[in-house]
């Protein structure tokens, strides 16, 4: 079945460092891909999405490109801030009504 | 729209008691999901509904768990009897259709003592 594998954490970075969180997926069809962010004590919020190959989703300085050839959707940010500290989830939806989530990666940004 | 609304935000109960968690999805969304989040197991899908009908409940851990969706604007997740290992954060989410993003509620933090 469909699945999402994302880079295990935790990840600790200094402020203004470059961030990459890897995400790869397995799907039989043409899924939509998502990154969600969860701040402490809150629910998951959509960060960005891409619905077809080569699409780039972006929001708040974060970017991810839908790479069908490598079945990947890596999350990147050029300069992280302390306020970016959160748990990040990669997810896919293949149209079968069930959304699959990765295990989550905890990011801590230190000043 | 106010988003997905869950109640209560926090629930502390004694082992053996019945617990009912509530969710109001976003108006017009046809799909509703219940998830459980723990440190050990991460985010687990328990059950989801399409047009108020349960489609996949294979994630429900055991018969003590049940979920209903009597109408398009309300769903409940019930645990009876509750056990300490049920302690977790329970999330409800809704989406407007296949391939669409899910919108999550704030969650209910359940503690069973």
């Amino acid at each position: 079945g469909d699945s999402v594998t994302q880079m295990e954490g935790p990840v600790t970075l200094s402020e203004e460092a470059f961030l990459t969180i890897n995400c790869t997926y397995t799907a039989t069809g043409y899924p939509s891909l998502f990154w969600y962010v969860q701040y402490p004590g809150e629910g998951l919020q959509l960060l960005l999405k891409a619905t077809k190959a080569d699409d780039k989703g972006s929001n708040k300085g974060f970017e991810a490109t839908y790479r069908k050839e490598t079945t990947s959707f890596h999350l990147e940010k050029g300069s992280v801030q302390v306020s970016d500290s959160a748990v990040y989830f990669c997810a896919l939806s293949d149209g079968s009504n069930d959304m699959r989530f990765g295990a989550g990666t905890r990011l801590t940004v230190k000043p | 729209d106010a988003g997905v609304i869950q109640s209560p935000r926090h629930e502390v109960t004694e082992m053996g008691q019945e617990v009912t968690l509530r969710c109001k999805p976003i108006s017009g969304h046809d799909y509703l999901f219940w998830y459980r989040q723990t440190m050990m197991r991460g985010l687990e899908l328990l059950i989801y509904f399409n047009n108020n009908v349960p489609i996949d409940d294979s994630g429900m851990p055991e018969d003590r768990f049940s979920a209903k969706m009597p109408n398009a604007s309300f769903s409940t997740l019930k645990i009876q009897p509750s056990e300490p290992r049920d302690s977790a954060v329970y999330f409800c989410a809704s989406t407007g259709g296949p391939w669409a993003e899910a919108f999550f509620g704030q969650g209910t933090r359940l503690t069973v003592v």
Side-chain angles (χ1 to χ4, degrees):
Chain A
D2 295 352
S3 66
V4 175
T5 302
Q6 67 180 96
M7 169 180 171
E8 293 198 14
V11 175
T12 302
L13 296 173
S14 297
E15 205 165 24
E16 299 184 2
F18 184 85
L19 168 70
T20 300
I21 301 178
N22 291 336
C23 172
T24 57
Y25 68 90
T26 301
T28 53
Y30 300 94
S32 293
L33 301 174
F34 309 89
W35 276 100
Y36 285 82
V37 59
Q38 184 180 29
Y39 299 103
E42 298 185 11
L44 280 69
Q45 306 171 25
L46 180 68
L47 181 59
L48 53 84
K49 68 177 181 180
T51 57
K52 62 182 186 297
D54 300 324
D55 268 2
K56 176 185 284 188
S58 60
N59 185 26
K60 300 181 181 180
F62 290 89
E63 294 183 339
T65 301
Y66 190 142
R67 300 288 188 198
K68 187 168 174 57
E69 63 277 11
T70 55
T71 62
S72 65
F73 193 55
H74 304 322
L75 182 68
E76 296 182 336
K77 187 174 185 181
S79 176
V80 294
Q81 305 300 311
V82 172
S83 58
D84 294 327
S85 297
V87 181
Y88 293 82
F89 292 88
C90 185
L92 72 79
S93 179
D94 67 358
S96 68
N97 311 326
D98 181 11
M99 181 168 283
R100 300 297 174 103
F101 286 86
T105 301
R106 182 177 299 278
L107 170 66
T108 302
V109 180
K110 296 187 174 181
Chain B
D1 201 310
V4 176
I5 299 173
Q6 291 186 245
S7 64
R9 288 294 308 275
H10 302 274
E11 176 80 37
V12 180
T13 190
E14 292 186 348
M15 182 173 63
Q17 296 299 306
E18 177 180 296
V19 176
T20 299
L21 311 181
R22 297 172 175 80
C23 175
K24 182 181 188 305
I26 291 174
S27 177
H29 280 189
D30 296 331
Y31 297 88
L32 184 140
F33 304 83
W34 281 101
Y35 291 90
R36 177 172 69 177
Q37 186 178 40
T38 61
M39 289 294 291
M40 291 297 295
R41 301 172 70 90
L43 195 65
E44 303 174 274
L45 175 65
L46 300 178
I47 184 172
Y48 76 92
F49 295 82
N50 179 20
N51 291 322
N52 313 337
V53 176
I55 302 300
D56 184 355
D57 65 354
S58 60
M60 297 285 262
E62 46 196 280
D63 292 345
R64 296 185 297 107
F65 286 69
S66 62
K68 295 182 179 180
M69 192 165 186
N71 57 62
S73 60
F74 184 66
S75 177
T76 59
L77 177 68
K78 185 178 293 186
I79 308 172
Q80 165 64 20
S82 58
E83 297 182 3
R85 60 194 168 118
D86 302 331
S87 298
V89 181
Y90 291 82
F91 288 104
C92 176
S94 69
T95 177
W99 295 284
E101 62 264 35
F103 293 82
F104 281 76
Q106 296 278 64
T108 296
R109 180 173 295 278
L110 173 65
T111 303
V112 183
V113 298

